[in-house]
Amino acid sequence: MHFRTLASLAAAAAILLGAISTAADQKDPRLDPLFQQLQASAGLQEAQLLEAQIWLIWTEAKDGPTDTLMQLGLAAMQSGNLAGALELFDAVTMQKPDFSEGWNKRATVLYMLGAYDRSAEDVGKVLELEPRHFGALAGLGLINTELDKTDEAIDAFERALKIHPHLPGVKQRLEALKKKKRDGAI
């Protein structure tokens, strides 16, 4: 079945079933203590356990049709069907515009497609909804690196690390950018 058809069916099901939206992912009360623990985490292993719990909460829309679209979009993205994933995440953001992870996954697909400006716009929406989204901030750092916006990339990576001090790969990218800047290579 074509992804557009699946997205249309899921959206129609939401309307027909009168899906009642509960608290969106980023408003879940379990997040505040998890972020506090993440910032205080002693090492990578502890941080990764906390990060996994945060991602589970972020990824759940608490709305059956939206959760279905998310799962289909994730499967499409993981199988390399970026066009299909984009259609599905478009449907997620239209169906539930206050769901930050829908915007984040769409930003990720847009980045993978090389649409850096559009990806950055979606990251802006993610951060508007969930300012603690370390994944979106790290993604913004990558986008700005691709766009040769070194200072903005450094800022985004630093903001991500304030929230998640053990974010894999980000410290290395940040230090590499700072070194290039110091050495005048940028």
Side-chain angles (χ1 to χ4, degrees):
M1 185 175 281
H2 184 45
F3 284 105
R4 185 174 303 232
T5 304
L6 290 173
S8 297
L9 288 173
I15 293 167
L16 291 174
L17 296 173
I20 298 171
S21 175
T22 59
D25 62 313
Q26 68 275 1
K27 297 176 185 170
D28 192 299
R30 296 173 293 172
L31 287 171
D32 288 340
L34 288 170
F35 276 108
Q36 291 169 357
Q37 293 171 32
L38 182 62
Q39 286 182 326
S41 61
L44 180 60
Q45 188 172 19
E46 179 185 358
Q48 286 178 325
L49 291 173
L50 294 163
E51 177 185 335
Q53 292 176 57
I54 290 169
W55 279 110
L56 281 174
I57 294 167
W58 275 345
T59 305
E60 186 177 297
K62 298 180 181 174
D63 166 327
T66 304
D67 285 330
T68 299
L69 287 171
M70 280 295 289
Q71 293 307 314
L72 291 170
L74 290 169
M77 192 166 72
Q78 289 171 353
S79 72
N81 180 357
L82 298 181
L86 184 58
E87 282 184 29
L88 289 159
F89 295 134
D90 282 345
V92 168
T93 60
M94 287 176 27
Q95 183 170 306
K96 194 164 178 86
D98 64 339
F99 178 49
S100 66
E101 198 54 29
W103 294 99
N104 187 56
K105 292 299 185 244
R106 191 170 88 165
T108 301
V109 171
L110 289 167
Y111 175 85
M112 294 169 77
L113 291 168
Y116 303 127
D117 290 329
R118 287 183 59 205
S119 181
E121 288 175 21
D122 280 6
V123 167
K125 184 66 175 175
V126 174
L127 296 173
E128 178 184 313
L129 294 166
E130 174 55 279
R132 304 171 295 188
H133 203 300
F134 50 81
L137 286 165
L140 185 58
L142 293 173
I143 292 165
N144 284 325
T145 299
E146 290 293 332
L147 295 174
D148 292 322
K149 296 181 178 180
T150 303
D151 290 335
E152 292 90 339
I154 289 171
D155 178 65
F157 287 142
E158 287 175 338
R159 289 170 50 201
L161 289 170
K162 283 182 185 171
I163 298 163
H164 185 335
H166 304 287
L167 200 55
V170 173
K171 283 183 184 179
Q172 293 82 358
R173 286 186 178 95
L174 176 61
E175 292 310 314
L177 282 175
K178 286 181 174 181
K179 184 178 182 327
K180 283 183 181 180
K181 188 173 177 181
R182 273 192 313 271
D183 294 347
I186 295 178

